[in-house]
Amino acid sequence: MNLKEKIAIRAKPIDKTLQKYLKIREPTKLYEASAHIPLAGGKRLRPVMALITCDMVGGDSEKAILFATALETIHNFTLVHDDVMDDDDLRHGVAACHTIYGLSTAILAGDTLFAYAFEMITDSDIDDRIKADLVQNVAYVVRKIAEGQQMDINFEEKETVEPKDYLEMIRLKTSILFGAAAYGGARIGGTNEDEARELENMATNVGLGFQIWDDYLDATASEDVLGKPSGSDIRQGKRTLLVIEALNRANSKQRRRLLEILDSDNNDEDIVEAVNIMDECGALSECHIQANKYLEGARKVLLKYPESEARTLFEELLEYMVTRGH
Amino acid sequence: MNLKEKIAIRAKPIDKTLQKYLKIREPTKLYEASAHIPLAGGKRLRPVMALITCDMVGGDSEKAILFATALETIHNFTLVHDDVMDDDDLRHGVAACHTIYGLSTAILAGDTLFAYAFEMITDSDIDDRIKADLVQNVAYVVRKIAEGQQMDINFEEKETVEPKDYLEMIRLKTSILFGAAAYGGARIGGTNEDEARELENMATNVGLGFQIWDDYLDATASEDVLGKPSGSDIRQGKRTLLVIEALNRANSKQRRRLLEILDSDNNDEDIVEAVNIMDECGALSECHIQANKYLEGARKVLLKYPESEARTLFEELLEYMVTRGH
């Protein structure tokens, strides 16, 4: 069985729980809008990570299913609201929520998913002390995700972004929800707070590697692998880590040309030229190195746990997150 | 000391807690936007009701301050998002959040307040079992508020709205947050679930009376009392209970004229004429009767509790909510 199949099996109870909670009620427009993106698919990496962590620390991941589904619900709430803010039309291969249901209902659908997540956590068959702890952690993480999204919005008005600021932005916007998955899975699995925080930190770092790898892939992988045209970040002029590193490393001529391509309409040849500049100045390999650094650090933490099916799956998951598509 | 002063004293720890949580952090734009509406004022009726309920059932309302502040935070989160949806420019006498900070940051500010509310509840010095119960109840209530807002949006596209549908809409959109205040205050105060549900039901009914009275006042009170021009609901063509009852009761000539006034630009004389029609057909007195019915029902529940300063204040608060301005 390959990794995709293994993940799909782990994701089954998540999908089932989503379907149970997100059934259509009155007013139907609100509930159809709420279910639209979560039920359109997605890899379910966050909830699967929560389940695997729970098993790896010796817990019973059955008890973590509601919590894991809550994280997927939170993830989807942020996608629905982000698409409104960025006015993106497509998500998971379907129309974004607001393009079908309108701005107001999309905002409400996000709020509804946010609320559902806390209903799921408190519906869990776990100790009340753990429940309260997970609610607090997830609420804190949602606030941090909002900070990350605000930083991303702020960056759009900035001339230059420092690598450390970019990393902080993706840590907040993307990575710490992976951290919350590992933390919650570990707590439900019975670890103490310190051990859960170490796993949270490990998973947050993997989340960073995941996002850096995403930026890397966008420039280097084929349309077949990506499921969208290659170089779309460059086309949109996004300041990814790859672009930031390239602007820092390029000579003045390369830099001028790269900025020109990023900040104007560009064709396929321009994209190829931009990627070549990123390659020549060492930005591509720098991103590759950084993504791998996060992966290696995470591997070391996993090796503290006894060998098990869950640990092996976790290792494969990490590997997939930071080397997929190549 | 008059009621306003008594409420202001009870609201002090709420304001203090809001100020503590809503201090400005990085990214400052997000946190300034989040603090803007909650710190602009408001009567703090919901949190004060939570504190009074806790005292009335014999509890220590010190322990309910964080929960009460969480409800005020939830209330403000819904105001920020509602203003985006309705594109309203003013709130509590200041510019609405999105008019200052833009659409994206206003959505994020609402999300941030939503998250803070759950951090406040779980920060409370109360039993973990009660914490989990309150989180679940508040999350459920937020989902119901979203349902109410969606119903309100749906009504705008409808020719006629039935009184029972309007009442259900305001029950969800406005009243049940009062219910959640009484429920939480009672639980923290040590009551069992059944007793807390009775108080929740009582407070939800008072919330209905509050909203009906708000509609009534808008048509009948002076600009001095309202702090805004009289008849603004009529000016905007809103289908309040008053309008729905008037359209149901008026003769065909009155009905035609009322619809004409509601659905077109109108001047002060038109407003006076509309209010006269509402009066003549009995809609005004019907709303007065309904608001009072909810008040009387609530009073009976309060009388089950021994006389105390808290019960007296609760009685005065109810009276204020459903008879203020007249």
Side-chain angles (χ1 to χ4, degrees):
Chain A
M1 195 167 13
N2 67 27
L3 179 64
K4 257 197 172 152
E5 290 163 338
K6 286 185 201 168
I7 293 179
I9 287 173
R10 286 306 208 132
K12 263 192 188 156
I14 307 299
D15 287 322
K16 216 173 130 188
T17 310
L18 281 174
Q19 269 149 13
K20 186 183 143 207
Y21 274 83
L22 301 179
K23 65 181 175 206
I24 308 306
R25 306 161 199 267
E26 293 285 344
T28 53
K29 188 176 175 187
L30 173 64
Y31 283 99
E32 282 167 8
S34 302
H36 174 63
I37 295 297
L39 299 187
K43 292 185 282 290
R44 316 294 191 211
L45 294 181
R46 293 155 192 81
V48 167
M49 190 181 276
L51 298 181
I52 298 174
T53 309
C54 186
D55 281 335
M56 186 181 73
V57 302
D60 170 11
S61 63
E62 277 283 320
K63 287 190 186 294
I65 289 171
L66 278 171
F67 169 75
T69 311
L71 288 189
E72 184 66 15
T73 306
I74 291 283
H75 174 54
N76 277 275
F77 131 64
T78 65
L79 297 180
V80 169
H81 279 188
D82 281 7
D83 287 344
V84 169
M85 296 178 217
D86 303 339
D87 202 12
D88 280 336
D89 293 342
L90 275 178
R91 172 67 70 180
H92 291 160
V94 299
C97 187
H98 66 284
T99 62
I100 302 178
Y101 299 98
L103 175 83
S104 297
T105 299
I107 294 174
L108 288 174
D111 296 346
T112 300
L113 292 172
F114 192 171
Y116 262 139
F118 288 101
E119 292 184 77
M120 289 172 190
I121 297 174
T122 49
D123 280 344
S124 299
D125 176 26
I126 54 176
D127 191 80
D128 286 323
R129 194 173 47 84
I130 307 286
K131 253 184 222 180
D133 185 48
L134 296 184
V135 167
Q136 181 154 70
N137 203 54
V138 171
Y140 173 80
V141 161
V142 170
R143 191 155 58 76
K144 293 289 145 182
I145 294 172
E147 290 182 8
Q149 174 71 356
Q150 182 64 51
M151 284 181 78
D152 203 6
I153 293 169
N154 292 349
F155 286 172
E156 280 172 26
E157 288 155 19
K158 277 188 155 180
E159 186 83 352
T160 56
V161 177
E162 291 300 315
K164 73 167 181 33
D165 293 332
Y166 178 82
L167 286 172
E168 176 64 6
M169 183 276 284
I170 60 171
R171 189 180 75 81
L172 296 169
K173 185 170 166 172
T174 307
S175 313
I176 60 172
L177 198 54
F178 286 102
Y183 177 81
R187 292 291 275 157
I188 296 170
T191 70
N192 63 28
E193 168 97 20
D194 285 350
E195 196 178 337
R197 290 290 172 206
E198 187 185 34
L199 287 165
E200 175 187 46
N201 190 40
M202 178 273 289
T204 302
N205 282 334
V206 172
L208 280 173
F210 176 69
Q211 186 61 48
I212 295 170
W213 191 254
D214 216 54
D215 297 350
Y216 179 83
L217 271 190
D218 186 81
T220 59
S222 67
E223 188 165 339
D224 273 4
V225 170
L226 294 171
K228 60 177 181 180
S230 180
S232 69
D233 287 346
I234 301 170
R235 224 172 290 267
Q236 292 173 48
K238 274 172 82 170
R239 263 53 173 177
T240 64
L241 186 64
L242 198 53
V243 169
I244 293 166
E245 288 289 349
L247 291 173
N248 276 348
R249 285 154 186 270
N251 62 38
S252 60
K253 194 181 148 199
Q254 289 173 320
R255 192 184 147 86
R256 228 175 12 251
R257 180 64 188 132
L258 187 54
L259 281 171
E260 200 174 74
I261 296 173
L262 287 166
D263 294 338
S264 57
D265 289 342
N266 41 49
N267 58 34
D268 287 355
E269 277 169 34
D270 295 330
I271 304 291
V272 172
E273 191 184 344
V275 175
N276 279 340
I277 294 173
M278 289 168 174
D279 191 12
E280 284 164 18
C281 72
L284 272 182
S285 64
E286 173 62 23
C287 286
H288 197 276
I289 289 166
Q290 285 200 37
N292 265 284
K293 184 190 75 183
Y294 289 115
L295 176 62
E296 286 314 314
R299 270 200 184 116
K300 277 184 197 141
V301 175
L302 286 188
L303 290 177
K304 294 182 178 182
Y305 290 85
E307 216 190 313
S308 68
E309 204 183 312
R311 196 190 78 176
T312 306
L313 183 53
F314 210 145
E315 287 173 311
E316 289 174 6
L317 182 65
L318 296 193
E319 177 108 6
Y320 166 77
M321 284 174 66
V322 186
T323 62
R324 70 190 181 286
H326 263 228
Chain B
M1 195 165 15
N2 67 26
L3 178 65
K4 255 196 174 154
E5 290 163 336
K6 286 184 201 168
I7 292 178
I9 288 173
R10 287 306 209 132
K12 263 192 188 158
I14 308 298
D15 287 321
K16 216 172 129 188
T17 310
L18 281 173
Q19 268 150 12
K20 186 183 143 208
Y21 274 84
L22 300 180
K23 66 181 175 207
I24 309 304
R25 305 161 199 267
E26 293 284 346
T28 53
K29 188 176 175 187
L30 174 64
Y31 283 101
E32 282 168 7
S34 301
H36 174 63
I37 294 298
L39 299 188
K43 293 185 282 290
R44 317 294 191 208
L45 294 181
R46 292 154 194 83
V48 166
M49 190 181 276
L51 298 181
I52 298 174
T53 309
C54 185
D55 282 334
M56 186 182 73
V57 302
D60 170 11
S61 63
E62 277 284 320
K63 286 190 186 296
I65 290 172
L66 277 172
F67 169 75
T69 311
L71 287 189
E72 184 67 15
T73 307
I74 291 285
H75 174 54
N76 277 275
F77 131 64
T78 65
L79 296 180
V80 170
H81 278 187
D82 281 6
D83 287 343
V84 170
M85 296 178 218
D86 303 339
D87 202 14
D88 280 336
D89 292 343
L90 276 177
R91 172 67 70 177
H92 291 159
V94 299
C97 187
H98 66 284
T99 62
I100 303 177
Y101 299 98
L103 174 83
S104 297
T105 299
I107 294 174
L108 288 173
D111 296 346
T112 300
L113 292 172
F114 191 172
Y116 261 139
F118 288 101
E119 292 186 77
M120 290 172 189
I121 297 174
T122 48
D123 280 345
S124 300
D125 176 26
I126 54 176
D127 192 80
D128 285 324
R129 195 175 45 85
I130 308 287
K131 254 184 223 182
D133 185 47
L134 297 184
V135 167
Q136 181 153 68
N137 202 54
V138 171
Y140 172 80
V141 161
V142 169
R143 192 155 57 76
K144 293 289 144 182
I145 293 172
E147 290 182 8
Q149 173 71 357
Q150 182 65 50
M151 284 180 79
D152 203 7
I153 294 168
N154 291 349
F155 286 172
E156 281 171 27
E157 288 154 21
K158 277 189 156 178
E159 187 85 351
T160 55
V161 177
E162 291 300 316
K164 75 167 180 36
D165 293 332
Y166 178 82
L167 286 173
E168 176 64 4
M169 184 275 284
I170 60 171
R171 189 179 75 82
L172 296 169
K173 186 170 167 173
T174 307
S175 314
I176 60 171
L177 198 54
F178 285 103
Y183 177 81
R187 293 291 275 158
I188 296 171
T191 70
N192 62 29
E193 168 95 19
D194 285 349
E195 196 178 338
R197 290 290 173 207
E198 186 185 33
L199 287 165
E200 176 187 45
N201 190 39
M202 178 273 289
T204 303
N205 282 334
V206 172
L208 281 173
F210 176 69
Q211 186 60 49
I212 294 170
W213 191 256
D214 216 55
D215 296 351
Y216 179 82
L217 271 189
D218 186 81
T220 60
S222 67
E223 187 164 341
D224 273 2
V225 169
L226 294 172
K228 61 178 180 179
S230 180
S232 68
D233 286 347
I234 301 170
R235 224 173 289 268
Q236 291 172 49
K238 274 171 85 170
R239 263 53 174 176
T240 65
L241 186 65
L242 198 53
V243 168
I244 294 167
E245 288 290 350
L247 292 173
N248 277 347
R249 285 154 186 270
N251 62 38
S252 61
K253 195 180 149 201
Q254 289 173 318
R255 193 183 146 86
R256 225 173 17 248
R257 180 65 187 129
L258 188 54
L259 282 171
E260 199 174 72
I261 296 173
L262 287 167
D263 294 338
S264 58
D265 290 341
N266 42 47
N267 58 34
D268 288 353
E269 276 169 34
D270 294 331
I271 304 291
V272 171
E273 191 184 344
V275 175
N276 279 340
I277 293 173
M278 289 168 176
D279 190 12
E280 283 164 18
C281 73
L284 273 182
S285 64
E286 172 63 23
C287 285
H288 197 277
I289 289 165
Q290 285 200 37
N292 265 283
K293 184 191 74 182
Y294 289 115
L295 176 62
E296 286 315 313
R299 269 200 185 117
K300 276 184 199 143
V301 176
L302 286 188
L303 290 178
K304 293 183 180 181
Y305 289 85
E307 214 190 315
S308 68
E309 206 184 310
R311 196 191 79 176
T312 306
L313 183 53
F314 210 145
E315 286 174 312
E316 289 173 8
L317 182 65
L318 296 194
E319 177 109 7
Y320 166 79
M321 284 174 67
V322 186
T323 62
R324 70 191 182 285
H326 263 228

